[in-house]
Amino acid sequence: MGTNADPLAALADLPGVADSVDSVRKAVDRVYGHRVMRRRSNEITSEAALRGARASAALAGADWALEEVRRRTDFGGDGEPRTVGAALRLTAEAGQLLGVWRQSPLRALARLHLVAAVGAAPDETVGRPRQAGEAVSEPLVELPLPDAGEVAGRLDGLAGLLLAGTAAPALVTAAVVHGELLALRPFGSCNGLVARTAERIVLVGSGLDPKSVCPAEVGHAELGREAYAQALEAYASGTPEGMAAWIAHCGRAVELGVRESTAVCEALQRGAA
């Protein structure tokens, strides 16, 4: 991420990134300016949370219809129900962790993994970064797996950048947090779910999306798992072109999330929802 005193902010100067940042900002402003948002923002927030969780679970291999997620109350057991339940729990937890994230991103990440992986992994591995020799289950990500020492160093470096503060646009910071967590896969399980939730926390905590009505997870799912994996591979290359491509991909995902919530606003305005 460079040697600049503010390496996150330096990424905003990469070709095309400023355009992505500007496009996202305009899209977010439009949905926040919608007349329904001024009167029924809590409903939009709740619906965005549900749709974001459904989409994040889909990327993790549990691609359920929205109405099925809405209808179900039992997410026990193994396999897809557990994945959907984890995504729903993470979405609910995200709003409670903004203060913790600002003080200790690593503690917030540990909490997210604890919430996501309860019952899905050995108790001694839940809520902490993996140690040497521990396996990782993350089928979507096929990048080489960094060893535990590299994971610890890069997590500390990421946390240091976040705590030091940055002038980087929210999209850039959120994309780097998301990409770094996916590339590192610091936990034995649920890394994608945790990474996408961390992206949401940054977008909300930065003030770009304070009401959490722009579910980037929806956009990532709509763009497709293959495009998601290819964009992550570009990020992991560490090249300026690769980093810019990943940030642009995350920007498109946010814009598609905005489109989803705008459609909800329109449906509520028509009295159809």
Side-chain angles (χ1 to χ4, degrees):
M1 286 185 280
T3 58
N4 189 287
D6 189 349
L8 291 175
L11 294 176
D13 295 327
L14 293 175
V17 170
D19 290 340
S20 293
V21 169
D22 184 57
S23 184
V24 165
R25 176 77 267 175
K26 289 177 179 176
V28 172
D29 286 347
R30 283 195 298 272
V31 73
Y32 271 82
H34 197 287
R35 61 190 303 177
V36 170
M37 276 293 295
R38 293 194 290 272
R39 296 180 286 110
R40 304 175 71 174
S41 64
N42 288 342
E43 293 173 70
I44 308 303
T45 296
S46 296
E47 190 65 18
L50 182 69
R51 293 178 185 224
R54 189 220 71 82
S56 190
L59 285 167
D63 192 359
W64 288 16
L66 179 63
E67 291 311 312
E68 176 69 6
V69 178
R70 199 190 303 278
R71 180 187 67 81
R72 286 283 287 265
T73 57
D74 177 16
F75 297 97
D78 294 325
E80 291 188 4
R82 175 173 285 168
T83 298
V84 176
L88 289 167
R89 291 193 303 273
L90 283 172
T91 300
E93 188 73 15
Q96 310 301 315
L97 284 178
L98 290 174
V100 177
W101 181 269
R102 292 186 181 107
Q103 295 179 353
S104 175
L106 297 185
R107 188 154 61 92
L109 289 172
R111 173 62 185 170
L112 289 175
H113 188 249
L114 184 66
V115 167
V118 60
D123 289 345
E124 66 273 12
T125 70
V126 173
R128 64 155 174 80
R130 57 186 168 85
Q131 298 176 358
E134 291 180 347
V136 172
S137 176
E138 197 65 48
L140 175 62
V141 182
E142 298 180 354
L143 297 171
L145 188 68
D147 64 35
E150 181 180 350
V151 168
R154 285 172 62 176
L155 280 179
D156 284 344
L158 179 63
L161 288 176
L162 296 171
L163 291 171
T166 177
L171 171 65
V172 172
T173 304
V176 168
V177 167
H178 184 171
E180 194 71 355
L181 292 174
L182 267 184
L184 292 177
R185 283 145 290 164
F187 303 108
S189 61
C190 302
N191 288 288
L193 294 172
V194 169
R196 290 184 287 275
T197 306
E199 180 185 44
R200 174 185 285 263
I201 289 174
V202 174
L203 292 172
V204 172
S206 67
L208 177 66
D209 180 23
K211 294 183 183 295
S212 194
V213 297
C214 306
E217 304 96 324
V218 169
H220 287 300
E222 185 171 335
L223 290 166
R225 295 179 73 181
E226 182 177 352
Y228 189 56
Q230 289 175 350
L232 176 63
E233 186 175 350
Y235 172 86
S237 73
T239 65
E241 296 80 10
M243 299 291 284
W246 169 252
I247 293 167
H249 183 88
C250 290
R252 288 193 295 274
V254 174
E255 291 185 65
L256 289 169
V258 168
R259 187 177 72 178
E260 186 87 354
S261 286
T262 300
V264 172
C265 287
E266 295 293 335
L268 287 171
Q269 186 167 282
R270 293 191 304 270

